[in-house]
Amino acid sequence: MRVGGLEIDGGTVVDVDNIPDTPLASTTAKTKVSTNGAITYQKYPPTPTATTTTSSPAKKQPPVDELGNSRHSTSSSATAASKKKIPSATFKELFQFAETKDIVTFGFGIFFSIISSASMPAINVVFGDVINAIAEPINVKELVNTAVTAMSILGVYGFVTFYLSFWLCGTAAANIANGWRLQYLEHLLIQDMQFFDTAESGSLTLMLSDSAMAIQTGLSEKFAQGIQGFFQFVFGFGLAFYFGPIMTLVLLACVPVLGLVTTAMFMWGSEDGIFGKEAYESASTIANEAMSNVRTVASLNAEPMMSRRYDAKLGDSETAAIRQGSRNAILTGLLFGVIFVMYGFGFWFGSTLIAKSVDDAIEQHPAPVNLLDPREDWYYAAVLGCGEWIEGYNTGENPEPFEVCVCGLPWEYVPNATGPNCGCGYSDGGSGGLEDTGVSTLSGCVSGGQVMMVFFSILIGSFSVGQIGPGVSAMNEAKQAAGKLLFVINRTPTIGGEEGETDGDMTAKTLEKNNNTKNKKPKVRLKRENVRGELVLDNMHFKYTRAKDVTFASPPSDDKDKDKNDEDTVPEEKEESESLGVVFGGCNLTMKAGETVALVGESGCGKSTIAKLVQRFYDPTEGRILLDGVDLKDINVKDLRSCIGVVSQEPLLFDTTIEENIKFGKPDATFEEIVHAAESANAHDFIMSFPDGYQTLVGPKGGKLSGGQKQRVAIARAIVRNCPILILDEATSALDNKSEKLVQQALDKLIQHEGEGAERSRTIIVIAHRLSTVRNADKIVVLGSPDGTSTAMTGSVILEQGTHDELVQREKGFYRALVGSGAKGSGLVDDTYASTDDNDATGSDAASLKLKVDAASEKSHSKGGDLEKDGGNTGFSLFGGKKDPKQAEKEAEEKKRLAANKARVWTYTRPEIPWIVFGASNSIIKGTIFPLLSIVFSKMIVVWYNPDTEYMVQRSLEYSLIFYGLAVLSFVTEAIQKSVFEMIGERLTKRLRGDLFRGILRQDVSWFEDDKNAVGILASRLSTDVKLVRLVAGQSVAATVETASAITTGCIIAGLASWEMFLVMLCMVPALGFAEALQFTAMKGSEGSIREELNASTEKLHETITGIREVQSFSLQRIVIIDVEKRIHDTISPASRKAAVMKGITMGLIQLIQFLVYAFAFWIGGIMIDSGRITFEDFNQALWAMAFAASGLGQAALFAGDAAKASAAANSIFSTLDNVPVIDTAPWENNGCADMKTSEATVRQIPNSTLKEGKAELSKVNFAYPTRKSAKVFDQIDLQIPSGKVVALVGSSGSGKSTVVQLIERFYDPASYKEEAEGDGLAEVVVDNSELKEDNGAVKIDDEDIRKQDVRWLRSNMGYVGQEPVLFNDTIYNNIAMGKENCTKEEVEHAARQANAYDFIMGLEEGFKTMVGIGGGRISGGQKQRVAIARALMGQPRILIFDEATSALDNESEKIVQASLDKLVKESGGQRTTIIIAHRLSTIQNADTICVLENNGDGSRVVEMGSHDELLALGQKYKALVQAYEKN
């Protein structure tokens, strides 16, 4: 059936009033987010009509500041989000998008994690056996071989189980995380525009990487390590209790002490740590404020003041960090001290257990009296094994040692001998000996191996608890991240979230679950061939609002506040749903089928909003929009958008071929159709000029094409779509004149229905700023506010409509005023009558035309662009061939620079050289401790096997006292080393950060506009890079010196003990060091390598979100999802699998290397002891000396790995410090580098003189912003601003009024650019007259080129007040004082009185000490303006500039501020030049001179100049503006 001209396929027209998920403002449907993210409904307050909204000004969106600086104020939604919290997902929910095979794989990973945790406790058992075996006086080789074999088997077991554990968990976690990524991506791309308007694109992009990575990390290595830590604790303490319950219980008394010390490390220094962190965060806030508002800082010459504020906070951070570092150093020393005490006490107590058990055994089962009877079978073995004690036995002075020794020999391994069956070797006829206990404890006797096994089992079990915490923390982070992702996944969009309106089975299932679409009536389905294209706007009201459910906050429960409207909910809820501005206050318009309708009007009148409403990115808050008689809300969104083609101002092209980009308009288009569309768009010729033709890669966002080429490809994409409705939204406004003409020809074809089937009629909506674009339209509709002002406070309405000829004939008509009626000739043809929505106050905020060509990927003529085709999508580089000599020379210079920069870092530590020497000396002493420990350790082990129990206990006590002494030494050296080098590092950090911040503030404005110098990158340079650089002169130095000392001492001790064993161990030191390095590397995790591969996918998503309107307009969601899924499959999945394999191999190798190294050492040692070449004591001393010495190699290797990062960071920092800007203000002497002793930089003094006259002139000036090189702002402009006069600048947005100010302030110098064609047809924009010769004109103050004047002195003679002035997060007094260096209190108060600000300031509770908050958010707009005026007056400027100083204020505030301005102008008495930029003519009509600026696309010029009366008499542009203003 047909309804209103639409074919309905199996569906019906849905009654709008009964659709609860499309709440009109006039309905009472309720909308609330339930706990599972679904949408329920909550009452919306009725949207006021045009009449009721008159007294309620619309809230503006966050503006830029007066000089084009970006504003970073905290939004209410962000505040609300900070007060609420998204609920974390459950552990079960982490697996809801996992496949069965991944869950099974994960289960096996957990299993192997559990059994792998037994390897370390088990090695202690084997370790005890091998110590016992090697200590035996006979059959050493056979006993050692048995134990070494077991140790080797355990090494292989550890490798296999650790590898499988981390590989399986990592692989499963990667697949599970990819499932989350795809689910999130698919549900994200179907969200409505309100969602994307409220959420930050960067945060949405990061969620794809960060949140999914958190899930992957939480389920992979950290989870496996947590499982291993827990069961290692269980197995460790289980073995300890089983083999030595008494010793275990005694040593457990020390474990709480370890716990208390560890807890104190986190708690004791936490207060200072938090304070230090907050202090640097305060410093970082100051830095971010300054860098984000660099124009304001520069205009006020406030660089020194900002630097002092930053340095003060750095001082606070330094003090707290040093204090915390010292406390942690003490606690770390105490931790090592406690461990050493545990060694001493544990080993002494173990010796007492050994002695008591031996004494008890020999007493209960005494030795036979005939031990030395040659007739007994044990005689020869007894003499051979215990001959050392025969003399004491024979004399009777001390017979017990010989008896103990003989009884304890391993008789089961002695051939043809049964043994005396006594003492520790007693057997009652059972298996006896070693087999009685299963380890090296002999028939009830405690052995040395058993003591070591119990001791190290407890130690390993205690430290393994530390692995559990990170695992639990990672799991919590994973569940929190999953909660955020689920919030998006479970969110049902208010538009387009019903059955048949989305792509993908996953999305459909989720929406069906959340939205219960089964019970809803189906939407109207469209057949494109049956759509006529008639559009009707019926009493349409609209205002932008923030989405209440896009703050990533915890959703309220369904029952809470059930009966309350928005006014009664919690404040956060109310703030989130605040209006962002009324756009339409009631529009009625009919666009007939096949009609071309042009929408015109001032900036902000809602032209582009109509295009968005027609595509149903938003719904009207009141009224409706009809397509062929059917409400858009009743039509399937996907079908609706398939009937609409769009060409926008900045079209989104994807990083693929030209053919694929055109084909996005019609996925099933043939190549012939694509070529035909390109020909119709005037694009075929330039496409074929490329070596690869239609296979040419366009680069990210089409960046490898010029602006005109991008637009024509976009037009071809719209043409191939062949839709009944076409929207052309400012399709040429961002182009230069030449490119615009080419694109305009293509648009003319579309409008005239040429080239793609003239018989097909289509409705065309044209939004443009060119008269030539709209004059031939069937209907021109003028939108705007009924009061005629540029800002639609009550919402736009339709002011006029008709043809061009009809509208220009209307006296005092709005359209006539826009086109400048009264001018003659061809000057009207290309008139810029309306804004392009570019902000002329800043070159960086507008959409940048990126034309720069990557030569490496574009210039490949010989092979027809094979490099671009084959390498463009892979990200791989081509290697091989002879190295370019220039490149080799460049690399050599780079190495020299890195070395020089590393040396420069040391200059920042010059004042601490005595401390460095002291700390290094201490590190040398500290490095000897563990090698010295090996001597005591080995002697302690040897004495355990002494059969003289009294001697054993006595010597053990002496050795334990040495342990206590080493504990004290370790405590002292550890505390001194860490505290000294922490102090050195923090002082280096403070000095380097201060110098770097000053180096940044010294740069000119264009430097900040470079993407490489974005605020976030600079903030990271100040925070992260400086921290990396401190490694050069911080703890890495201590670690290097300590390691060198340890290796040297260990080698000396081992060499003196046994040169043979020393050489053996020396060969194995690299292996042990490698294992230690692997251990430290494993601690860092494998996240970094995976994140590198995530970049391509996140960049793709960011590109998609940036152009989400076009993605949804052309229904490209499925294409994007497939593309990102392919990227994940091709990059992230292999990287994750590789990371999982490498992690498994790494963890397995750690076990294998350590076990095999010690197995080999014991095997060699056993052979040497058995052959009599070394003694048991010599073996232990050499072994442990080298083992303990090698333990520090891992830490040194870790710092060595970070050295490369430190070098790169140093290069980044010093390149900034060494950069001399073109416009160099030089605020400080010595390039801003502070004095090393005082840490203060010397401010360069400027002359106290003032400008003589204060006149300004722009003479033949050419200018284009560096970020918009193709868009000319000025073309040979001439402008004279006489001394002592009031000069007003007027003109439409984009005419360059604020650019005049930026040139006078010398934020930029005159410059022009030209577009050059490369050999392959692609475009590159280069500087024209880069030497800034007179070809580009000059800006003069008092007849002198400002390039020859001191910039700081020049700016000190100027004052600036803008529309949205920047106030810094400081007191009112300090904000005003920022206008003059070293000002007095009287001067501040005088300036406040001049600005009408003194009274309101004194009325505040804290007066001038009142904090204004970030961006001045704690005081009203009018108060901010008056503070800014007072600040501008501080220096008694000869030139005072007011840039829209009252346009952002309400009427009451405007009157107060305007009175202040009028007073200032009057009081100047001709001694001050005043420049005023304003839209309100009442503000400027009393000016001495009014200059009218106009940009015709080739650059702005002054078209009219004179007084108010003179320009009215002239009867041209200015008069038309006045008439439009006065019409109301």
Side-chain angles (χ1 to χ4, degrees):
M1 61 178 291
R2 293 180 61 85
V3 179
L6 300 180
E7 185 74 20
I8 304 174
D9 295 336
T12 58
V13 178
V14 182
D15 182 5
V16 180
D17 294 331
N18 294 324
I19 305 178
D21 65 328
T22 315
L24 291 175
S26 56
T27 71
T28 58
K30 294 196 169 194
T31 306
K32 184 182 288 187
V33 186
S34 68
T35 53
N36 64 357
I39 300 294
T40 53
Y41 305 98
Q42 185 176 30
K43 181 183 290 185
Y44 277 67
T47 302
T49 62
T51 305
T52 60
T53 57
T54 303
S55 60
S56 179
K59 293 186 179 180
K60 293 183 178 293
Q61 298 189 36
V64 295
D65 70 47
E66 69 269 24
L67 292 174
N69 301 311
S70 59
R71 295 290 306 277
H72 299 285
S73 59
T74 305
S75 65
S76 58
S77 61
T79 304
S82 67
K83 298 179 182 178
K84 298 181 180 180
K85 186 177 180 181
I86 295 177
S88 298
T90 63
F91 180 76
K92 181 180 178 181
E93 286 178 324
L94 292 175
F95 301 92
Q96 64 177 308
F97 305 123
E99 297 181 11
T100 303
K101 64 183 180 78
D102 296 325
I103 297 176
V104 173
T105 301
F106 188 73
F108 276 107
I110 294 175
F111 170 74
F112 282 108
S113 296
I114 294 173
I115 65 173
S116 68
S117 62
S119 62
M120 286 303 292
I123 201 66
N124 286 330
V125 178
V126 178
F127 190 64
D129 279 343
V130 78
I131 288 292
N132 283 334
I134 211 166
E136 295 294 348
I138 58 175
N139 289 324
V140 172
K141 186 175 180 179
E142 184 178 352
L143 292 171
V144 168
N145 285 344
T146 302
V148 165
T149 301
M151 188 177 288
S152 302
I153 292 172
L154 270 179
V156 175
Y157 170 85
F159 174 81
V160 172
T161 54
F162 270 77
Y163 169 74
L164 290 174
S165 167
F166 285 92
W167 172 53
L168 292 173
C169 286
T171 301
N175 293 336
I176 292 169
N178 286 340
W180 279 92
R181 289 185 181 102
L182 294 177
Q183 283 283 341
Y184 171 73
L185 176 66
E186 186 158 333
H187 288 83
L188 176 66
L189 295 184
I190 66 162
Q191 298 302 323
D192 48 55
M193 283 304 114
Q194 196 178 41
F195 176 91
F196 291 105
D197 289 344
T198 305
E200 295 182 2
S201 61
S203 64
L204 295 176
T205 304
L206 285 175
M207 284 178 68
L208 180 71
S209 57
D210 287 3
S211 296
M213 179 56 69
I215 295 173
Q216 185 168 340
T217 303
L219 292 176
S220 56
E221 57 197 56
K222 294 290 179 63
F223 185 79
Q225 287 173 334
I227 293 289
Q228 287 175 344
F230 175 76
F231 283 96
Q232 198 164 282
F233 168 81
V234 172
F235 292 148
F237 274 87
L239 283 174
F241 271 108
Y242 181 76
F243 292 115
I246 297 176
M247 185 176 176
T248 303
L249 288 173
V250 172
L251 288 178
L252 277 177
C254 298
V255 173
V257 179
L258 282 177
L260 288 174
V261 173
T262 307
T263 303
M265 289 179 68
F266 290 101
M267 300 296 293
W268 192 23
S270 62
E271 182 178 350
D272 286 324
I274 293 171
F275 176 73
K277 183 179 179 181
E278 289 180 350
Y280 182 69
E281 285 177 352
S282 299
S284 179
T285 300
I286 292 170
N288 288 341
E289 265 192 320
M291 294 184 297
S292 300
N293 304 296
V294 67
R295 290 177 176 84
T296 299
V297 173
S299 69
L300 295 168
N301 284 337
E303 297 95 338
M305 184 177 295
M306 300 303 295
S307 174
R308 285 194 294 271
R309 290 180 61 202
Y310 184 72
D311 285 346
K313 293 299 181 182
L314 287 182
D316 295 340
S317 178
E318 176 199 16
T319 301
I322 290 176
R323 189 161 55 235
Q324 183 190 23
S326 300
R327 288 180 172 183
N328 284 336
I330 293 172
L331 289 168
T332 304
L334 186 60
L335 178 65
F336 277 99
V338 170
I339 292 174
F340 275 68
V341 170
M342 282 187 67
Y343 272 112
F345 177 74
F347 288 167
W348 169 80
F349 185 76
S351 68
T352 61
L353 292 178
I354 295 172
K356 186 176 185 305
S357 66
V358 169
D359 290 342
D360 290 345
I362 203 68
E363 181 181 347
Q364 295 173 12
H365 309 287
V369 295
N370 58 341
L371 277 179
L372 287 178
D373 187 347
R375 295 170 297 179
E376 297 294 340
D377 58 4
W378 64 72
Y379 174 77
Y380 293 103
V383 172
L384 178 65
C386 304
E388 182 181 355
W389 315 102
I390 289 179
E391 183 178 354
Y393 181 81
N394 286 333
T395 61
E397 294 179 0
N398 190 17
E400 187 173 321
F402 181 72
E403 295 174 348
V404 170
C405 179
V406 173
C407 293
L409 289 176
W411 295 106
E412 66 273 20
Y413 291 103
V414 178
N416 303 318
T418 59
N421 195 27
C422 59
C424 291
Y426 174 78
S427 175
D428 59 0
S431 57
L434 291 170
E435 285 73 25
D436 281 349
T437 59
V439 290
S440 52
T441 171
L442 302 176
S443 189
C445 289
V446 178
S447 69
Q450 185 180 4
V451 170
M452 289 193 67
M453 183 267 293
V454 172
F455 180 82
F456 283 109
S457 292
I458 293 173
L459 210 60
I460 288 173
S462 300
F463 283 114
S464 65
V465 176
Q467 295 179 229
I468 301 175
V472 173
S473 176
M475 178 57 64
N476 288 335
E477 290 177 5
K479 292 193 288 186
Q480 290 171 2
K484 293 180 182 179
L485 294 176
L486 280 176
F487 189 76
V488 176
I489 292 172
N490 291 333
R491 181 184 186 272
T492 303
T494 55
I495 298 175
E498 297 192 11
E499 186 177 1
E501 295 187 319
T502 59
D503 291 318
D505 296 334
M506 290 189 297
T507 314
K509 290 178 181 177
T510 305
L511 292 175
E512 181 179 321
K513 178 182 73 174
N514 295 339
N515 208 27
N516 194 20
T517 56
K518 289 184 178 180
N519 299 325
K520 294 191 176 183
K521 297 180 181 179
K523 294 285 189 177
V524 174
R525 302 304 302 265
L526 303 181
K527 287 184 177 179
R528 184 183 299 183
E529 60 270 19
N530 295 324
V531 176
R532 293 184 294 110
E534 181 182 79
L535 290 165
V536 177
L537 277 60
D538 182 14
N539 191 32
M540 185 187 69
H541 292 72
F542 179 72
K543 63 180 178 181
Y544 288 105
T545 57
R546 289 191 178 94
K548 295 169 63 176
D549 53 347
V550 189
T551 58
F552 298 110
S554 176
S557 64
D558 291 336
D559 297 329
K560 185 178 179 180
D561 297 327
K562 184 174 181 180
D563 299 320
K564 296 183 180 180
N565 59 20
D566 282 354
E567 306 295 329
D568 298 325
T569 54
V570 291
E572 299 95 300
E573 191 87 11
K574 181 178 179 181
E575 289 174 358
E576 290 166 21
S577 59
E578 71 173 341
S579 170
L580 299 181
V582 178
V583 181
F584 293 114
C587 280
N588 292 281
L589 175 66
T590 299
M591 291 175 267
K592 297 179 180 178
E595 192 174 50
T596 298
V597 179
L599 306 178
V600 300
E602 287 283 356
S603 174
C605 68
K607 305 183 295 295
S608 295
T609 301
I610 287 182
K612 297 169 187 175
L613 288 166
V614 168
Q615 296 173 79
R616 208 179 167 216
F617 291 142
Y618 307 95
D619 284 332
T621 51
E622 187 176 337
R624 57 182 182 165
I625 302 175
L626 307 175
L627 171 61
D628 292 348
V630 178
D631 196 326
L632 295 187
K633 298 175 185 176
D634 297 340
I635 300 173
N636 180 281
V637 171
K638 187 176 177 183
D639 290 353
L640 171 68
R641 292 172 183 166
S642 71
C643 296
I644 302 173
V646 180
V647 181
S648 61
Q649 177 179 351
E650 278 292 326
L652 174 68
L653 297 186
F654 289 100
D655 188 10
T656 183
T657 64
I658 293 176
E659 178 184 355
E660 286 299 317
N661 270 286
I662 297 176
K663 198 172 182 179
F664 286 150
K666 183 181 179 184
D668 59 347
T670 64
F671 183 71
E672 289 73 20
E673 289 177 310
I674 292 172
V675 173
H676 183 66
E679 290 173 341
S680 300
N682 277 353
H684 179 73
D685 291 341
F686 86 77
I687 294 173
M688 295 308 297
S689 69
F690 297 151
D692 296 327
Y694 283 87
Q695 300 307 310
T696 300
L697 293 169
V698 303
K701 298 184 181 179
K704 293 181 179 179
L705 302 182
S706 71
Q709 292 167 342
K710 283 170 59 179
Q711 283 289 18
R712 282 177 277 167
V713 171
I715 293 171
R717 181 173 63 188
I719 290 174
V720 80
R721 196 170 177 84
N722 195 23
C723 298
I725 300 173
L726 179 64
I727 299 174
L728 306 175
D729 187 358
E730 298 280 16
T732 65
S733 63
L735 305 179
D736 59 85
N737 202 37
K738 180 180 177 181
S739 299
E740 182 189 17
K741 291 177 181 177
L742 294 172
V743 174
Q744 191 60 52
Q745 291 174 7
L747 296 179
D748 291 341
K749 286 184 179 181
L750 280 177
I751 293 174
Q752 298 166 16
H753 309 298
E754 294 178 3
E756 32 76 32
E759 72 281 356
R760 276 280 295 137
S761 139
R762 63 163 57 94
T763 303
I764 300 176
I765 301 174
V766 180
I767 301 168
H769 70 288
R770 295 289 193 187
L771 176 59
S772 56
T773 307
V774 303
R775 68 182 305 159
N776 295 323
D778 299 317
K779 181 188 296 183
I780 298 174
V781 178
V782 183
L783 297 169
S785 175
D787 62 8
T789 61
S790 61
T791 303
M793 304 294 287
T794 59
S796 290
V797 295
I798 295 175
L799 302 175
E800 297 173 341
Q801 57 179 306
T803 65
H804 169 77
D805 294 335
E806 292 171 351
L807 295 178
V808 295
Q809 298 302 320
R810 297 185 183 180
E811 289 292 332
K812 296 186 178 182
F814 289 98
Y815 181 76
R816 181 172 177 173
L818 286 172
V819 301
S821 179
K824 298 180 180 179
S826 61
L828 278 175
V829 176
D830 289 325
D831 180 27
T832 303
Y833 64 82
S835 168
T836 67
D837 290 337
D838 289 345
N839 189 334
D840 63 276
T842 173
S844 62
D845 291 342
S848 172
L849 183 61
K850 297 181 179 178
L851 305 177
K852 188 173 182 181
V853 178
D854 183 355
S857 60
E858 291 293 339
K859 297 180 179 178
S860 51
H861 308 294
S862 60
K863 298 292 183 182
D866 290 341
L867 172 62
E868 185 180 56
K869 281 195 297 183
D870 300 335
N873 267 343
T874 63
F876 294 110
S877 302
L878 300 179
F879 297 95
K882 187 177 180 180
K883 181 176 281 190
D884 185 0
K886 292 183 178 179
Q887 181 66 22
E889 183 180 353
K890 184 178 179 181
E891 290 177 0
E893 291 177 357
E894 180 70 16
K895 289 181 180 178
K896 290 181 181 179
R897 186 166 68 250
L898 287 174
N901 287 336
K902 191 172 182 179
R904 286 176 69 179
V905 173
W906 281 102
T907 63
Y908 280 85
T909 63
R910 195 174 299 153
E912 281 75 51
I913 286 179
W915 284 108
I916 293 175
V917 173
F918 174 66
S921 302
N922 186 82
S923 296
I924 293 174
I925 298 173
K926 183 173 180 287
T928 64
I929 292 177
F930 272 98
L932 290 174
L933 173 67
S934 67
I935 299 175
V936 188
F937 189 67
S938 59
K939 289 185 177 297
M940 180 73 83
I941 293 175
V942 171
V943 82
W944 286 340
Y945 294 93
N946 193 308
D948 189 342
T949 55
E950 291 183 6
Y951 177 83
M952 178 199 305
V953 173
Q954 180 185 352
R955 296 299 289 173
S956 294
L957 179 60
E958 294 173 1
Y959 293 145
S960 67
L961 293 177
I962 297 176
F963 271 112
Y964 302 149
L966 288 175
V968 174
L969 183 62
S970 176
F971 166 73
V972 173
T973 55
E974 185 76 29
I976 291 176
Q977 183 203 61
K978 280 189 163 44
S979 58
V980 166
F981 281 99
E982 184 70 25
M983 176 195 68
I984 294 169
E986 285 300 328
R987 289 182 178 177
L988 164 67
T989 299
K990 179 180 181 293
R991 293 190 189 106
L992 196 53
R993 273 180 176 155
D995 282 1
L996 178 58
F997 183 57
R998 284 184 286 273
I1000 290 172
L1001 291 183
R1002 179 191 179 190
Q1003 305 304 316
D1004 55 25
V1005 170
S1006 60
W1007 185 83
F1008 286 91
E1009 291 175 342
D1010 190 332
D1011 289 340
K1012 294 182 294 185
N1013 302 315
V1015 173
I1017 294 174
L1018 296 178
S1020 176
R1021 198 171 298 169
L1022 283 166
S1023 175
T1024 307
D1025 286 3
V1026 174
K1027 280 290 187 183
L1028 286 172
V1029 168
R1030 70 172 282 183
L1031 291 174
V1032 174
Q1035 292 295 344
S1036 62
V1037 176
T1040 303
V1041 173
E1042 180 184 337
T1043 301
S1045 173
I1047 291 292
T1048 303
T1049 308
C1051 289
I1052 293 173
I1053 294 173
L1056 292 175
S1058 169
W1059 67 269
E1060 294 171 302
M1061 198 64 201
F1062 160 67
L1063 291 178
V1064 171
M1065 290 301 299
L1066 186 64
C1067 294
M1068 291 187 290
V1069 162
L1072 287 174
F1074 178 64
E1076 289 290 331
L1078 286 177
Q1079 186 74 44
F1080 280 103
T1081 303
M1083 290 170 62
K1084 295 168 64 177
S1086 57
E1087 183 177 335
S1089 60
I1090 302 173
R1091 282 189 180 278
E1092 292 176 2
E1093 298 297 341
L1094 271 171
N1095 289 340
S1097 297
T1098 53
E1099 287 173 6
K1100 176 70 175 182
L1101 180 59
H1102 184 70
E1103 181 183 51
T1104 300
I1105 293 174
T1106 303
I1108 187 64
R1109 288 184 174 85
E1110 290 199 64
V1111 171
Q1112 293 192 352
S1113 294
F1114 288 93
S1115 299
L1116 301 179
Q1117 295 97 319
R1118 178 53 44 189
I1119 294 173
V1120 172
I1121 291 169
I1122 292 173
D1123 185 35
V1124 174
E1125 185 174 3
K1126 184 177 183 299
R1127 289 171 187 256
I1128 290 175
H1129 182 269
D1130 294 343
T1131 59
I1132 301 174
S1133 294
S1136 298
R1137 287 194 296 268
K1138 179 181 177 182
V1141 170
M1142 293 306 298
K1143 184 71 175 182
I1145 292 175
T1146 299
M1147 297 302 294
L1149 279 177
I1150 292 171
Q1151 313 302 314
L1152 184 63
I1153 291 173
Q1154 290 179 339
F1155 289 2
L1156 291 184
V1157 163
Y1158 284 109
F1160 180 74
F1162 280 114
W1163 178 69
I1164 289 290
I1167 292 175
M1168 290 183 178
I1169 293 173
D1170 190 57
S1171 64
R1173 300 177 69 173
I1174 62 174
T1175 65
F1176 179 53
E1177 182 176 351
D1178 294 337
F1179 165 75
N1180 275 284
Q1181 195 165 309
L1183 172 69
W1184 299 116
M1186 295 301 292
F1188 285 146
S1191 64
L1193 286 177
Q1195 187 178 8
L1198 181 66
F1199 281 116
D1202 287 335
K1205 297 178 182 178
S1207 297
N1211 190 41
S1212 171
I1213 289 170
F1214 289 118
S1215 64
T1216 302
L1217 287 173
D1218 296 339
N1219 185 66
V1220 179
V1222 175
I1223 303 174
D1224 189 4
T1225 58
W1228 299 272
E1229 296 179 1
N1230 194 28
N1231 295 330
C1233 293
D1235 181 86
M1236 290 298 174
K1237 294 181 179 179
T1238 63
S1239 296
E1240 294 181 0
T1242 303
V1243 178
R1244 182 177 66 85
Q1245 299 300 315
I1246 58 176
N1248 291 325
S1249 58
T1250 60
L1251 290 170
K1252 294 180 180 179
E1253 300 181 55
K1255 64 180 179 180
E1257 178 184 359
L1258 274 65
S1259 176
K1260 303 296 181 184
V1261 169
N1262 295 322
F1263 183 71
Y1265 285 103
T1267 53
R1268 291 183 300 176
K1269 297 177 181 178
S1270 300
K1272 286 185 179 180
V1273 179
F1274 292 138
D1275 179 26
Q1276 296 286 303
I1277 189 173
D1278 288 302
L1279 175 63
Q1280 290 79 35
I1281 300 174
S1283 172
K1285 302 294 183 181
V1286 178
V1287 178
L1289 304 179
V1290 298
S1292 59
S1293 297
S1295 61
K1297 303 182 296 297
S1298 293
T1299 304
V1300 171
V1301 173
Q1302 300 203 59
L1303 289 173
I1304 291 175
E1305 289 269 4
R1306 207 186 167 201
F1307 294 147
Y1308 305 94
D1309 283 330
S1312 61
Y1313 304 86
K1314 59 184 178 181
E1315 185 173 312
E1316 291 183 350
E1318 298 288 339
D1320 52 11
L1322 295 171
E1324 181 174 22
V1325 173
V1326 297
V1327 176
D1328 189 10
N1329 299 318
S1330 58
E1331 297 299 324
L1332 299 175
K1333 298 178 181 178
E1334 293 183 358
D1335 305 61
N1336 291 320
V1339 180
K1340 300 178 181 179
I1341 302 292
D1342 285 355
D1343 298 324
E1344 184 179 2
D1345 193 327
I1346 62 174
R1347 285 172 288 194
K1348 300 177 182 179
Q1349 302 184 46
D1350 187 323
V1351 182
R1352 280 176 57 78
W1353 174 79
L1354 191 68
R1355 291 173 182 168
S1356 69
N1357 282 276
M1358 297 181 187
Y1360 191 98
V1361 182
Q1363 176 179 355
E1364 280 290 333
V1366 171
L1367 297 187
F1368 295 93
N1369 189 18
D1370 207 333
T1371 63
I1372 292 177
Y1373 182 93
N1374 287 340
N1375 269 282
I1376 297 176
M1378 199 173 287
K1380 183 182 178 182
E1381 187 81 7
N1382 300 321
C1383 61
T1384 64
K1385 179 181 178 183
E1386 290 72 20
E1387 288 177 310
V1388 171
E1389 292 180 350
H1390 177 68
R1393 288 189 175 94
Q1394 281 186 297
N1396 260 356
Y1398 184 82
D1399 291 339
F1400 94 76
I1401 294 173
M1402 297 308 295
L1404 299 173
E1405 185 175 347
E1406 297 184 71
F1408 280 92
K1409 294 182 181 179
T1410 301
M1411 294 292 294
V1412 301
I1414 297 176
R1418 294 184 180 178
I1419 58 178
S1420 70
Q1423 291 170 339
K1424 282 170 59 178
Q1425 284 287 19
R1426 282 178 278 168
V1427 170
I1429 293 171
R1431 182 176 64 188
L1433 295 173
M1434 282 297 299
Q1436 297 299 312
R1438 290 301 305 273
I1439 299 176
L1440 190 58
I1441 303 167
F1442 300 113
D1443 187 357
E1444 297 283 9
T1446 64
S1447 63
L1449 305 179
D1450 56 76
N1451 291 334
E1452 183 178 354
S1453 297
E1454 180 190 4
K1455 290 177 182 178
I1456 297 173
V1457 174
Q1458 189 62 51
S1460 302
L1461 300 182
D1462 294 340
K1463 176 183 175 183
L1464 289 173
V1465 171
K1466 184 177 180 180
E1467 290 179 350
S1468 67
Q1471 298 300 309
R1472 180 188 294 129
T1473 303
T1474 305
I1475 303 173
I1476 299 176
I1477 300 172
H1479 278 98
R1480 289 187 173 93
L1481 298 181
S1482 59
T1483 306
I1484 63 173
Q1485 61 185 358
N1486 295 325
D1488 299 312
T1489 303
I1490 298 173
C1491 301
V1492 182
L1493 277 66
E1494 180 180 80
N1495 191 339
N1496 63 2
D1498 291 323
S1500 187
R1501 296 183 180 182
V1502 179
V1503 294
E1504 294 178 13
M1505 180 182 292
S1507 66
H1508 174 74
D1509 294 334
E1510 290 170 348
L1511 293 180
L1512 284 180
L1514 186 63
Q1516 296 188 13
K1517 298 286 184 182
Y1518 183 75
K1519 183 178 180 180
L1521 290 173
V1522 172
Q1523 288 177 339
Y1525 176 76
E1526 292 178 344
K1527 183 175 181 180
N1528 193 46

